[in-house]
Amino acid sequence: MGRVSDAKQRLMDAVLDLIWSGSYGSTTIDDICEKAGVKKGSFYYFFDSKAELAAEALEASWVDRRVELDGIFSATVPPLERLEKYCDFTYKIQREIKNKIRPRAGLSASFAWF
């Protein structure tokens, strides 16, 4: 039986953390591998490029957050309550970023992740 590794998830977490704390352009594959504790060969085993990794990580983030956002913007929720819930959601994410806690699924508090 093969060994189970969480390297792919660690790479996806690392790229999101580095993008949110710096920028996509300033993040290198070496930075990602170092933060994830993964060798470069493992990076290329899972991904062909930094762009592919970032796209997959952002997609996974969106999937994780979609249910929460659908609830916030549900047509059954009155408009003012939607706004209040979205403000609370945004505040929570900003607080996580400020406290250096990776936001669940790695999303920022704005729609910059679209």
Side-chain angles (χ1 to χ4, degrees), residues 36-86:
V38 171
K39 294 185 189 269
K40 210 175 209 179
S42 293
F43 174 92
Y44 286 109
Y45 175 79
F46 294 111
F47 304 102
D48 290 333
S49 66
K50 178 177 77 168
E52 183 182 336
L53 167 59
E56 189 168 329
L58 288 168
E59 177 66 23
S61 296
W62 166 245
V63 168
D64 287 346
R65 286 285 192 193
R66 183 171 181 172
V67 171
E68 187 173 7
L69 289 168
D70 284 348
I72 290 170
F73 293 108
S74 169
T76 62
V77 177
L80 287 176
E81 189 177 332
R82 286 184 222 164
L83 182 58
E84 182 181 350
K85 285 182 174 191
Y86 183 68

Side-chain angles (χ1 to χ4, degrees), residues 4-5 21 25-26 28 32 45-46 57 70 79 96 99 102 106-108:
V4 176
S5 171
S21 65
S26 68
T28 67
I32 296 164
Y45 175 79
F46 294 111
D70 284 348
E96 289 174 358
N99 292 328
R102 187 182 71 77
L107 295 179
S108 74

Side-chain angles (χ1 to χ4, degrees), residues 20-31:
W20 301 136
S21 65
S23 72
Y24 175 82
S26 68
T27 299
T28 67
I29 291 173
D30 288 334
D31 295 336

